[in-house]
Amino acid sequence: MLTLASELWEFMRVRKRFWMLPIFVMTGLLSSLIMFSQGSAVAPFVYALF
């Protein structure tokens, strides 16, 4: 996982694609929210997002 993050950072740094960083961060946050909220009290709020 760390190598993937470092390769993405290297790609963005070399090619000056820093606008992609918020996309990757939000995708990671939403996926972790979905993964950790299965069977918990947060589940109804996650389903409202979709």
Side-chain angles (χ1 to χ4, degrees), residues 1-2 22-23 25 27-28 30-31 33 35 47 49:
M1 186 66 180
L2 187 59
I23 296 170
V25 169
T27 303
L30 281 175
S31 62
L33 176 67
M35 185 175 65
Y47 295 130
L49 292 175

Side-chain angles (χ1 to χ4, degrees), residues 4-23:
L4 176 65
S6 64
E7 286 185 26
L8 280 173
W9 176 250
E10 186 69 23
F11 171 78
M12 289 187 291
R13 189 177 62 82
V14 169
R15 290 180 176 79
K16 306 289 191 257
R17 305 273 191 222
F18 294 113
W19 57 270
M20 295 172 72
L21 185 61
I23 296 170

Side-chain angles (χ1 to χ4, degrees), residues 20-44:
M20 295 172 72
L21 185 61
I23 296 170
F24 290 133
V25 169
M26 291 306 295
T27 303
L29 288 174
L30 281 175
S31 62
S32 65
L33 176 67
I34 291 171
M35 185 175 65
F36 289 126
S37 68
Q38 289 180 350
S40 69
V42 185

